[in-house]
Amino acid sequence: MTTSTEHHRTEPSTTAGERDMLEGWLDYHRATLLWKCEGLGDEQLRRAALPPSELSLLGLVRHMAEVERYWFRDIMLGEQLPELYCTPEDRDGDFHFGDEDTWADAERIWRTEVEAARQAAAGRSLELVSRAESHRRGEVFSLRWVYTHMIEEYARHNGHADLLREQLDGATGE
C-alpha cells in the first residue's frame, strides 16, 4: 500500500511443489489481509465504508478467523467447536460488533486461529478426507480442497479489503 512500509509479504515460489505452493499462497493472502488493516484505528477498522454493505475491515478479519476455525479444525479434524462470533440468531455476527470489540482482540483471535489451522494441517496428506461433513452441503473434503478454498476465500475478501481501505484513507496497493 502506498501509506505503509511496515508489513512484508513473501511472494510464493513460482517453482515450489504442490504443498509448499498451497501454503505459500495461503500465507501470502493471510498477510495481505493484515496489510490492508495496517495503520488504521479501531474506528476506521469498524467502519462499513461502502453502505449499505456491512463489510468492514474488522469484520473481515473476524470472519476469516471463523473460516480458518471452521475449515481446518471443525471440518478437517472433526472438532466440534463453537463459533467465535456468529450465532444461530446472528449468522453474520462476525460483522456485528460493539464498543468492547477491538482490533487488538480480533487480530489476536485471528492469529490464534491461523496458528491452530497450521497445526491442524501439519504433517497431513493433501489427500486426507475431512472427518466431518460441511454444515451446508453435507459433503466431505480433501485437505487439498480446503487449501484451495481458503486461498479463494482470502483472495475474494482481500478484494473487498482493497475497496474498503481505499474508501477509508485513499491507500491503494496490489
Side-chain angles (χ1 to χ4, degrees), residues 23-34:
E23 289 177 356
W25 276 110
L26 182 52
D27 283 341
Y28 178 83
H29 283 292
R30 286 168 170 157
T32 298
L33 182 57
L34 286 186

Side-chain angles (χ1 to χ4, degrees), residues 45-46 56 58-59 62 93-101:
L45 291 162
R46 301 166 170 278
S56 66
L58 180 64
R62 288 166 46 120
D94 36 7
F95 291 98
H96 303 147
F97 27 82
D99 292 338
E100 71 283 357
D101 296 309

Side-chain angles (χ1 to χ4, degrees), residues 2-150:
T2 58
T3 60
S4 176
T5 58
E6 293 176 37
H7 200 79
H8 300 287
R9 297 177 300 164
T10 302
E11 291 277 337
S13 169
T14 59
T15 59
E18 182 181 20
R19 180 64 172 253
D20 289 340
M21 184 76 66
L22 291 170
E23 289 177 356
W25 276 110
L26 182 52
D27 283 341
Y28 178 83
H29 283 292
R30 286 168 170 157
T32 298
L33 182 57
L34 286 186
W35 181 43
K36 296 298 175 177
C37 297
E38 189 174 82
L40 298 174
D42 275 9
E43 187 278 323
Q44 290 171 303
L45 291 162
R46 301 166 170 278
R47 191 178 316 148
L50 299 168
S53 172
E54 293 183 305
L55 281 178
S56 66
L57 290 168
L58 180 64
L60 286 174
V61 170
R62 288 166 46 120
H63 174 69
M64 291 312 299
E66 289 271 24
V67 172
E68 294 270 3
R69 182 182 188 104
Y70 176 77
W71 283 107
F72 284 103
R73 295 171 63 204
D74 190 8
I75 297 300
M76 283 310 301
L77 297 185
E79 296 179 13
Q80 295 182 343
L81 302 169
E83 294 192 63
L84 296 165
Y85 306 106
C86 300
T87 65
E89 301 77 35
D90 187 0
R91 297 306 311 150
D92 294 322
D94 36 7
F95 291 98
H96 303 147
F97 27 82
D99 292 338
E100 71 283 357
D101 296 309
T102 66
W103 166 251
D105 288 340
E107 182 184 18
R108 179 185 48 76
I109 291 167
W110 177 84
R111 287 183 184 278
T112 297
E113 291 304 323
V114 166
E115 185 53 35
R118 285 186 177 120
Q119 293 300 318
R124 291 185 165 79
S125 168
L126 293 174
E127 285 80 29
L128 176 70
V129 174
S130 63
R131 292 186 183 152
E133 297 175 350
S134 74
H135 300 158
R136 289 188 184 149
R137 298 174 11 192
E139 297 174 311
V140 295
F141 303 87
S142 71
L143 182 56
R144 176 184 288 103
W145 188 95
V146 169
Y147 269 113
T148 304
H149 174 67
M150 290 298 296

